[in-house]
Each structure stands twice: as C-alpha cells, then as structure tokens.
Amino acid sequence: MSELSSKEKAYNDWWMSRFDNNHYKTITLYQHGKEVQTYTTANADYSDEEDAEDALLTAKLMGVSVSSVSVDSTRFKAINGQVRRIANVNS
C-alpha cells in the first residue's frame, strides 16, 4: 500500500472533521418491510425529513429499489412526490 499524498491527507482530515461522533443518525432502507441496507450519517445537522429525502433520492439514483426509509426510529415514505412520516419504529 502506498503513502497518501498531502492532498489526499488534507481531504481525509477535512472529511473526518465533518463527523460528529456524539450526534449522528442511523438510516435504514426498506423494500416492502425487508431491510435492504443500514448506514449512519456523519452528523445530526439536518432534519429527519431532509435525511429521509436524501436517502430516498440517493437510493433511486443508485438503482436500489426502496419503498421506505427509517431515520433513527421514524419511518418515512415518498407519497405523490412528497416525503411523509408514516410510522414510528420500535428499536
């Protein structure tokens, strides 16, 4: 494995500075109730609705079939082009 260039190191430092280890959210993608993927956000700077909208859009752009997403314990779904909260999920 080769050493990172100074530019790569600077980018890594910038990227890691965006993470807030104490305040992040868990995003779970679902396809008809079946868990497709789970990941975390870098921080909790955005609303749950914004995180859900981004998760649904990203899944669509990546060709991943998703019917709903949860942000921490709240489930969201796109209905008529709008992201709507549909349920609270028990962990």
Side-chain angles (χ1 to χ4, degrees):
M1 181 182 267
S2 64
E3 280 289 315
L4 295 176
S5 69
S6 59
K7 188 175 183 179
E8 289 169 321
K9 286 179 183 178
Y11 176 78
N12 283 346
D13 289 342
W14 171 84
W15 178 244
M16 293 307 291
S17 74
R18 308 298 298 161
F19 284 80
D20 180 350
N21 292 328
N22 297 319
H23 301 94
Y24 60 90
K25 298 177 188 178
T26 301
I27 309 292
T28 305
L29 308 177
Y30 295 94
Q31 177 58 15
H32 300 296
K34 182 180 175 190
E35 188 177 308
V36 175
Q37 183 178 2
T38 298
Y39 59 92
T40 61
T41 61
N43 54 53
D45 291 346
Y46 301 97
S47 71
D48 290 354
E49 290 82 6
E50 289 171 314
D51 285 331
E53 183 176 10
D54 288 345
L56 288 164
L57 176 62
T58 302
K60 181 178 179 180
L61 293 173
M62 297 303 293
V64 177
S65 184
V66 173
S67 59
S68 65
V69 301
S70 68
V71 178
D72 286 336
S73 62
T74 307
R75 184 81 67 96
F76 295 88
K77 183 175 189 165
I79 301 172
N80 295 328
Q82 298 291 317
V83 174
R84 306 277 187 209
R85 186 178 73 179
I86 58 171
N88 289 337
V89 180
N90 293 331
S91 298

